[in-house]
Amino acid sequence: MTGEDFDLIGTGPVATVYGGLYLALKVFPSAAPPDALDAAERERAALDAIRDTAPILPVDDVLELPDGRTALQMELCSLSLAELVAGSGELLVADAVAVGLAVATAVAAAHRAGVVHGGLSPYNVLFHPSGAPVVADFGVALRRAFPVEQPTPYTAPETARDGTMDERSDLYGLGGVLHLALTGHPPSEGGEPPPELARLVTRLLAPDPADRPSTSDVVVRQLTALGEQDPPKPPRVEPPPVTSGPVARPRSRVGSGVVTGLLAGGAVLVALPFLLRATLATPSSAAPAPTPTVASSARSIPLTLDDPVDHGTYVDLSWQGEDGLAFAVVVAADDRKPEVRVAQRNRTMRVEVEEGREYCFQVQATDGTLVVESAPKAIRGAACKS
């Protein structure tokens, strides 16, 4: 079918998702009707025209499986915003703005191309292996062919009421994405967004579609302006260190595009997935986002990774860094794509590994303006690049 072995990685309200080394398959419970497939193909063609300029995860192929079920093939992104928040809590305000800007940019580009998402939620805001946030699952054709039985906390009231899926219902979904990113909770569970974003989130989540912003481009402009203001971050309580239990498999938050070699064999890592103000596809009128400065840990902010403790199937990592930094761990295996794992304010992490495989690890940190990197550490004789 694709030449990859696939494992179950997620089950949604309708479809089941399987992941391979590089590809993902979203499998529906039966064959889609021919008219739905034709409509889905038109949506896919429209999105193909913007795939290189907007932060979307396009569908690369529509497959008919041997048992007749319809499946969508796309690049594997193994971490969603919902999973990230569930594991690490709400995002820093600037990170939430950056993710929200990526989502709004993707939605605005799709709307201009004539495609409605129809089910926007934190579960289809994914993080690309590069670290950049992308939006998956665009299109209403297959949603109408395989309707969900129960609305989610991110379903617009009009969609739940009569099945309406349009540009205004996508705005409601965008409000739900921002609400979760900023508060750690879906809109139905309360939580107060910070003042600088509360009005925008409230408008996006307005029950009456007429009370929401007029277009997704308006939201893009508002989030771009907020990002440029660099609002002060409120004090945050240090969460307790993570001392046991596996961490999510995932890649990252927002990527900076800074690439550094880690394994001598040639693997590369993407610096801090959650760097503030990633380079996103934004309208030409928007000012380009600044990129944080990357510096060695010896130059300014001390950051030291302790020797990894190898337990065979997992490795315990710990590091030393200043208070107030946000951390991520880069994991590079000898023949795998490197992964970036969010640690937030924690200074320990347990990483699942394969027995006998060589690994290099590096810790990266940011205070929002400066990025620092520890010296890499190896297990099992891996040759790491500094």
Side-chain angles (χ1 to χ4, degrees), residues 233-331:
K233 303 178 184 63
R236 292 175 59 90
V237 177
E238 183 89 9
V242 176
T243 57
S244 63
V247 297
R249 291 175 50 202
R251 304 290 189 337
S252 44
R253 289 199 195 174
V254 186
S256 71
V258 180
V259 180
T260 307
L262 180 57
L263 277 171
V268 296
L269 63 90
V270 177
L272 274 189
F274 52 100
L275 287 178
L276 309 182
R277 292 171 190 73
T279 301
L280 304 173
T282 54
S284 56
S285 59
T291 301
T293 302
V294 178
S296 69
S297 58
R299 192 185 66 129
S300 52
I301 304 175
L303 180 64
T304 304
L305 174 61
D306 300 332
D307 290 335
V309 181
D310 187 356
H311 297 279
T313 59
Y314 65 90
V315 172
D316 283 329
L317 301 174
S318 60
W319 55 90
Q320 314 301 318
E322 293 182 356
D323 292 342
L325 298 176
F327 300 99
V329 173
V330 183
V331 181

Side-chain angles (χ1 to χ4, degrees), residues 28-126:
F28 292 92
S30 60
D35 59 341
L37 288 175
D38 290 343
E41 187 58 38
R42 290 192 294 272
E43 291 172 336
R44 188 163 76 96
L47 292 173
D48 276 345
I50 61 171
R51 64 186 296 168
D52 294 330
T53 58
I56 65 172
L57 182 69
V59 173
D60 293 321
D61 202 0
V62 180
L63 306 173
E64 180 182 344
L65 300 185
D67 59 8
R69 291 180 296 168
T70 295
L72 306 180
Q73 178 183 300
M74 62 202 76
E75 187 175 4
L76 177 66
C77 297
S78 59
L79 180 69
S80 70
L81 176 62
E83 292 167 329
L84 176 62
V85 172
S88 303
E90 73 275 14
L91 275 58
L92 300 174
V93 172
D95 288 341
V97 169
V99 171
L101 178 56
V103 176
T105 299
V107 171
H111 288 178
R112 290 193 295 271
V115 179
V116 168
H117 190 284
L120 185 61
S121 80
Y123 293 96
N124 42 49
V125 176
L126 307 177

Side-chain angles (χ1 to χ4, degrees), residues 160-187:
R161 182 175 60 249
D162 57 25
T164 297
M165 299 179 198
D166 59 15
E167 294 181 356
R168 294 293 179 88
S169 66
D170 281 353
L171 291 174
Y172 187 94
L174 175 56
V177 167
L178 278 170
H179 192 282
L180 181 82
L182 291 163
T183 70
H185 303 284

